[in-house]
Amino acid sequence: MTGAHGSSPRERLPGGPDPELVERERELAVISRLVRSTAAGDPALVVFEGPVGIGKTSLLNALLDQAHDLRLRVVHTRAGQMGHRLPLSTAHALLAGLSADGSAGLPLSVSFAVLVELHEVVRSAAMAGPLVIAVDDVEEADAASLRFLAHTARRMTGLPVLLALARCSGAHVAALNEVAALPQCQVLRPRPLTGSGIGLLTRRLVGTETDSAFQESCLAATNGNPMMVTRLLTGLREEELPLTAAHFASLDEDDVPAFRPRALRLLHRQPEATVQAARSLAVLGDGAAPETCARLAHLDSTAFVGSVLVLTSLGFVTSNDDGTWSFVHALLRNAVLGDMSEEELTSAHGRAARLLHDSGSSAADVAEHLCRAATVPEPWARAVLREAAREAMLRAAPDRAVELLRPCVPEGSEDACDPALLVELGVAETRVDPRASIRHLTSALERASLPELRSAALGALTEALTRQGQVARAMALLSRYRSDATAAGVGSAQLMEAQMLIAASANRAAYAELLETVTFDLSLSGESVGERALLAARAVSCVTRLDRVAEAVAAARTATARGSSTTDAVPFPCAAGLTFLYADLPHEAERVYRQLLEDSDPLTDESRPSLLALSAEAHHRLGALDVALRATAAALRNVTVPRAAAHQAQPLAVRLHTLLDRGDLAEASRLEAEIPDARDDAWQWNEVLCARGRLHLAKNDPERALAHLEECGRREAQWRRISPAVSPWWYWAGLTRLALGDRRAALALAEEAVGRARAAHLPCALGTGLELWAEAVGDDERPPLLEEAEQVLAGTEAALIRARVRVARGKLLHRLGYNKAAREVLRQGWEEAYAVGSRSLHKAAHRALLATGARPRRPVSRGLPALTHSETQVARLAADGRTNAWIAERLFVTQRTVEVHLTSVYRKLGLSGRRELRDALAASDTGTAAQGT
């Protein structure tokens, strides 16, 4: 039989490909029963009702398919198309093929006689055989056609006719409501897909299994709407993206081009109060207080609730457990917002801001609307924006703070603005727009009258100037401040000089100029905040340049011992910790960073990522590879590696080094491929170059490795970071030279490092240099070098370097024929490599042990030496009385991991609980101290 829209008996309703029918077993069963009933000669009436995209058309097409399979005659159309605007146009599209002569000359006027005549066409066609009449988007039909459909629905008794209508929920059309209320009418309301349903649909469309995380993400973004799910899956498949939650992308208007106009057409058929309610919900956002929404919509509470119930029936919004409402999908909210003019939007956001402010909402919520109001803020609004900006700075979001504050300082109005406001804006702009920062801070300094405000403006200005390389101007301002009668005290001047030294670490030219300009007196008492800051900043500058390393260490210890997190700004104890790192005292650095992390707020402290990165480097130098990896993962959380900035280069480099130490070459290669080239000459990129060179050496590409390593060495020299304890680039460059057959160059690197390390008492660098020296000479010269390296490292906590030297020495002893001594040394290195988690070194040691005739079964499994670094950390924290939850948060692991480590500790030490653990560790510490004396 021929359908109304073409000659193919299998033709379906238009509208693109149907979403796969998933979780529609109930509806399909009803459809099958109705079609079979009509084929047997009985009438049937069904209405498919639901929001856009829920699958009404798919179910209607399924009905048509079954009707065709049973060879029923079918006529169908979609209402609301072009040409369906005149009276009876939809009926005309349906019945033209059923009229006796096939003409299109149906009447345009509508009277009862006309309805009878049209019904006669249907009855005559039904007498010739069972008939299916299907109309999609029936709410779009003209009023006359709707009267015809209602007339026919009431008069189907005895006729083998199946009338199937599909309409959007919430479309209150009297004629359709009348049809749905008929006793014989079956109303089917398809439900949204569940997570498992989305998983099944994914298998059918893409042929891929997905996990529950992806399914839940997809469900949250689409609200289970089959059309949206289908479009999303198709887009992901076409872009060849992995179907995982991490690669999940939400739908936008481009994915479903017909969605927005259909939704708005449905909305604008509702009363004006419903439209205003939808707009107020869209402007205020999901979960807004109903009272505020009602006031924004200029409705009383009763009228607003009634309008929202209409929106709910339309499928636009859904109720939340707390009595508020949310749009079922961002597409619908965006459609409503896009329907408003720019003037309407800005006015609505301005009113929303005032309503939220008056109701006591947070500054951040009010500021969100003020930023979109696009008007000069009133005094109350400026106060709100400044409060929200302060919160943004606490969250390490200077971009957001600048966005909030700039409307408070219109262009050209600086001279009339509150100097305190200019200082706040200038501080926020320091890393976002340095030139604007300097301009605003200069204006604030010139006009500020209070000493405290002048001090704040000057401190921020000198730091901003230093970052921009304008050291001379910054020093001139600082000199002028020192002689200012209204100064806040000499301690403030010292603090500013320390800030300049720290700020100069972001600008190589400024750093070089400062080294020639300022003094580096390390004899300050450290009694004041300014003195401690200056000691820490000077100490790290000295130790990197191998200038009075012992004095620098003493100064850093003074700064950390006399300061606290409540009195001293984080950058200065950070600098003290860096002094310990570069003085080959990673255990002291680790203690400093551990305390700073304990005192910091994980959610609001902007310095926390830097602390995590420095803590990771300290743990890496100690050989705690697992802890270093966890710390770098936490430091890089929410960081897009290809767009990493200089301050994110350090944790990337530490992570790359740690992966290589663990022997995970594949993961290291994957990470290195994502890391961008150095975007500037910041020193943090130097270590990325070192790690890259080391990776290429591990991949047997020494030429490429040497290029990276020598560039790292060149840049380090420009920064005057000449201490061999700052970066191991020279060690890996030496090994690369050896791989290329250039022993002389490798020996020169080793001799220079050893000489500097001896003079500055840098044990880890000295041991590493002696190891490289041994590699560069013949076997007859190696034993004393490696023996000295092992002795030097035995007094440190650098477990990984010590294990590497022991393995090298054990291999040498075996080659020289000292098998017994070789086995003893190799076993120590083998056990240490296992304890720190260096799989590659452990395997190398295992092979070397086998070569000596030893048969190692497992590393030592009893006593304190059997504890891994992670187990030792957990044990000590537990012995200090810390809870499992506290330990888990401190070490960035789960509580279950802490429990597993403690269980292992108790087993290895033969203990039953924390009380015995405390005693065992105390006895061990006492024994170690006694040996030291």
Side-chain angles (χ1 to χ4, degrees):
M1 296 297 173
T2 301
H5 285 250
S7 58
S8 171
R10 291 308 237 173
E11 186 182 3
R12 299 152 70 83
L13 286 164
D18 292 330
E20 293 284 327
L21 290 176
V22 172
E23 296 185 326
R24 294 290 182 260
E25 291 79 10
R26 179 182 66 88
E27 291 85 351
L28 291 174
V30 172
I31 288 171
S32 179
R33 175 174 57 79
L34 294 176
V35 172
R36 289 197 304 271
S37 174
T38 301
D42 296 326
L45 177 58
V46 62
V47 173
F48 300 101
E49 183 175 297
V52 175
I54 199 65
K56 304 182 297 295
T57 300
S58 295
L59 289 171
L60 206 55
N61 279 331
L63 184 149
L64 297 181
D65 285 345
Q66 292 197 30
H68 283 304
D69 289 341
L70 293 178
R71 306 192 65 79
L72 276 63
R73 189 175 186 184
V74 173
V75 290
H76 61 79
T77 191
R78 182 190 296 278
Q81 301 180 90
M82 292 299 295
H84 282 220
R85 299 292 183 264
L86 296 174
L88 287 177
S89 54
T90 300
H92 178 278
L94 276 174
L95 304 184
L98 297 181
S99 60
D101 58 1
S103 70
L106 294 177
L108 294 182
S109 60
V110 182
S111 65
F112 185 77
V114 171
L115 295 177
V116 171
E117 181 180 345
L118 293 177
H119 180 67
E120 181 59 27
V121 175
V122 173
R123 192 188 65 79
S124 298
M127 290 300 97
L131 174 66
V132 174
I133 301 174
V135 184
D136 199 7
D137 290 343
V138 66
E139 74 278 1
E140 301 283 353
D142 59 275
S145 295
L146 289 170
R147 287 184 60 192
F148 155 68
L149 291 171
H151 181 87
T152 299
R154 292 192 299 269
R155 291 165 175 78
M156 291 171 53
T157 303
L159 296 178
V161 175
L162 170 53
L163 178 59
L165 308 175
R167 71 166 181 171
C168 277
S169 54
H172 295 296
V173 180
L176 296 179
N177 293 343
E178 179 184 341
V179 172
L182 293 173
Q184 68 270 30
C185 182
Q186 179 80 51
V187 179
L188 295 180
R189 297 183 177 89
R191 290 167 292 183
L193 298 178
T194 63
S196 59
I198 290 173
L200 176 58
L201 180 56
T202 306
R203 289 197 295 274
R204 291 185 181 179
L205 283 177
V206 188
T208 302
E209 293 288 340
T210 55
D211 58 19
S212 59
F214 172 82
Q215 294 164 14
E216 291 305 315
S217 296
C218 189
L219 178 61
T222 62
N223 203 43
N225 185 292
M227 179 176 68
M228 295 183 187
V229 174
T230 301
R231 298 279 183 166
L232 184 143
L233 293 173
T234 303
L236 292 177
R237 180 183 60 192
E238 291 174 352
E239 295 180 21
E240 298 182 352
L241 293 174
L243 299 185
T244 63
H247 289 83
F248 182 80
S250 297
L251 285 172
D252 57 32
E253 286 83 349
D254 294 334
D255 296 315
V256 194
F259 187 90
R260 178 173 171 173
R262 293 178 67 183
L264 290 177
R265 194 162 57 243
L266 181 60
L267 177 62
H268 282 293
R269 283 203 299 267
Q270 312 309 316
E272 180 63 21
T274 302
V275 176
Q276 292 303 318
R279 290 182 170 184
S280 70
L281 284 170
V283 168
L284 285 167
D286 295 342
E291 300 81 5
T292 307
C293 292
R295 294 178 64 188
L296 183 61
H298 298 287
L299 299 172
D300 60 49
S301 297
T302 303
F304 176 76
V305 171
S307 297
V308 173
L309 291 177
V310 173
L311 292 172
T312 304
S313 66
L314 290 174
F316 273 64
V317 302
T318 183
S319 61
N320 302 323
D321 293 338
D322 59 359
T324 62
W325 289 275
S326 300
F327 280 90
V328 298
H329 193 274
L331 282 174
L332 287 165
R333 184 188 179 200
N334 292 339
V336 174
L337 290 173
D339 190 45
M340 301 173 69
S341 69
E342 188 65 27
E343 183 179 355
E344 288 173 329
L345 268 177
T346 56
S347 174
H349 280 298
R351 289 191 64 244
R354 187 71 212 205
L355 289 170
L356 290 171
H357 178 262
D358 293 345
S359 65
S361 296
S362 70
D365 289 343
V366 178
E368 185 70 30
H369 293 280
L370 287 172
C371 288
R372 300 180 185 184
T375 58
V376 178
E378 298 177 21
W380 69 268
R382 284 198 295 273
V384 169
L385 289 170
R386 292 174 70 175
E387 182 181 348
R390 295 184 194 109
E391 293 175 359
M393 292 296 288
L394 287 174
R395 297 194 307 273
D399 290 0
R400 178 59 175 165
V402 170
E403 180 186 0
L404 293 167
L405 290 173
R406 278 189 172 165
C408 302
V409 186
E411 192 69 27
S413 68
E414 289 88 347
D415 292 342
C417 284
D418 178 5
L421 172 59
L422 287 176
V423 171
E424 291 177 21
L425 177 58
V427 169
E429 288 173 326
T430 300
R431 298 191 181 184
V432 178
D433 188 349
R435 291 184 178 179
S437 171
I438 292 172
R439 185 176 72 251
H440 290 139
L441 290 170
T442 300
S443 177
L445 181 61
E446 293 172 349
R447 296 173 47 238
S449 57
L450 296 176
E452 295 81 3
L453 186 57
R454 287 178 58 83
S455 176
L458 187 61
L461 180 56
T462 53
E463 182 176 349
L465 289 169
T466 303
R467 287 182 179 276
Q468 288 297 102
Q470 301 182 44
V471 174
R473 183 179 170 189
M475 292 299 296
L477 285 171
L478 189 57
S479 176
R480 172 184 167 192
Y481 174 78
R482 280 198 174 101
S483 61
D484 193 333
T486 61
V490 70
S492 297
Q494 291 173 328
L495 188 59
M496 288 178 199
E497 184 177 332
Q499 289 171 339
M500 287 176 60
L501 281 169
I502 299 296
S505 65
N507 186 308
R508 182 165 56 83
Y511 183 66
E513 186 175 349
L514 268 180
L515 292 183
E516 306 300 330
T517 305
V518 302
T519 63
F520 283 85
D521 179 12
L522 297 174
S523 63
L524 301 176
S525 66
E527 294 295 337
S528 69
V529 172
E531 286 187 343
R532 290 194 294 273
L534 206 49
L535 279 175
R538 288 174 176 175
V540 71
S541 294
C542 288
V543 79
T544 56
R545 295 178 291 129
L546 285 180
D547 176 24
R548 298 168 292 157
V549 173
E551 290 182 51
V553 170
R557 286 172 176 162
T558 298
T560 54
R562 297 188 177 181
S564 69
S565 59
T566 58
T567 58
D568 296 2
V570 170
F572 304 114
C574 264
L578 205 55
T579 302
F580 296 139
L581 272 182
Y582 293 164
D584 269 351
L585 300 168
H587 56 290
E588 290 194 47
E590 191 277 330
R591 283 199 295 268
V592 170
Y593 297 130
R594 184 201 317 161
Q595 186 61 53
L596 290 172
L597 283 168
E598 289 175 4
D599 294 338
S600 69
D601 188 326
L603 299 178
T604 63
D605 197 330
E606 61 179 345
S607 64
R608 191 169 178 84
S610 297
L611 289 174
L612 288 166
L614 292 167
S615 175
E617 180 159 356
H619 282 110
H620 174 253
R621 294 189 181 212
L622 288 168
L625 303 184
D626 289 342
V627 182
L629 283 179
R630 290 195 296 270
T632 55
L636 295 168
R637 188 173 295 132
N638 302 322
V639 172
T640 302
V641 173
R643 295 199 295 270
H647 66 281
Q648 294 155 344
Q650 186 180 18
L652 285 170
V654 174
R655 188 167 186 83
L656 196 50
H657 275 298
T658 307
L659 289 170
L660 290 169
D661 283 326
R662 279 172 56 102
D664 198 340
L665 186 60
E667 180 63 19
S669 299
R670 185 201 64 75
L671 176 62
E672 188 271 340
E674 293 185 22
I675 300 176
D677 293 332
R679 301 180 185 277
D680 48 50
D681 68 348
W683 63 266
Q684 289 91 338
W685 292 110
N686 300 358
E687 198 57 28
V688 171
L689 287 168
C690 175
R692 276 197 158 121
R694 180 184 173 187
L695 173 64
H696 292 308
L697 178 61
K699 295 166 73 173
N700 297 316
D701 188 355
E703 290 86 0
R704 194 174 177 188
L706 190 61
H708 285 293
L709 291 164
E710 290 193 333
E711 174 63 13
C712 175
R714 184 188 67 80
R715 289 171 55 116
E716 290 284 71
Q718 288 180 333
W719 274 98
R720 305 193 191 184
R721 294 162 60 88
I722 63 173
S723 169
V726 168
S727 168
W729 73 268
W730 53 270
Y731 172 79
W732 299 108
L735 293 183
T736 304
R737 288 289 188 183
L738 290 174
L740 292 170
D742 190 350
R743 287 184 174 270
R744 180 173 303 198
L747 185 58
L749 287 168
E751 289 177 341
E752 182 180 28
V754 168
R756 288 176 170 176
R758 281 195 199 280
H761 302 288
L762 305 173
C764 300
L766 178 57
T768 303
L770 290 168
E771 178 196 358
L772 177 60
W773 195 330
E775 288 293 323
V777 298
D779 278 359
D780 55 336
E781 298 179 64
R782 287 178 182 171
L785 292 170
L786 288 176
E787 185 174 353
E788 182 185 359
E790 185 178 357
Q791 290 173 350
V792 167
L793 292 168
T796 73
E797 296 188 32
L800 178 60
I801 302 175
R802 186 169 60 243
R804 190 175 68 206
V805 168
R806 281 176 171 160
V807 172
R809 180 167 172 254
K811 289 180 179 179
L812 175 64
L813 290 171
H814 171 59
R815 286 199 304 273
L816 296 175
Y818 301 104
N819 282 352
K820 182 177 180 181
R823 281 195 290 271
E824 181 179 349
V825 174
L826 281 170
R827 184 175 290 278
Q828 287 180 299
W830 177 67
E831 290 176 346
E832 285 182 329
Y834 174 82
V836 301
S838 179
R839 295 190 294 266
S840 56
L841 184 60
H842 183 253
K843 288 179 182 178
H846 188 81
R847 289 193 297 268
L849 270 173
L850 292 176
T852 66
R855 293 294 179 264
R857 296 183 179 274
R858 67 173 69 179
V860 61
S861 59
R862 292 290 176 186
L864 287 172
L867 300 184
T868 66
H869 190 278
S870 296
E871 289 171 347
T872 301
Q873 276 195 311
V874 171
R876 291 197 176 278
L877 291 173
D880 289 341
R882 305 294 190 178
T883 65
N884 287 2
W886 190 95
I887 297 172
E889 182 177 353
R890 167 67 186 87
L891 299 181
F892 321 111
V893 297
T894 64
Q895 290 191 50
R896 174 59 181 161
T897 300
V898 174
E899 294 168 1
V900 169
H901 281 330
L902 282 176
T903 301
S904 179
V905 168
Y906 295 152
R907 176 180 56 79
K908 290 180 180 180
L909 300 185
L911 306 176
S912 60
R914 295 194 181 212
R915 183 180 299 277
E916 293 180 4
L917 177 62
R918 186 163 50 249
D919 295 340
L921 293 180
S924 171
D925 293 340
T926 301
T928 302
Q931 291 176 4
T933 58

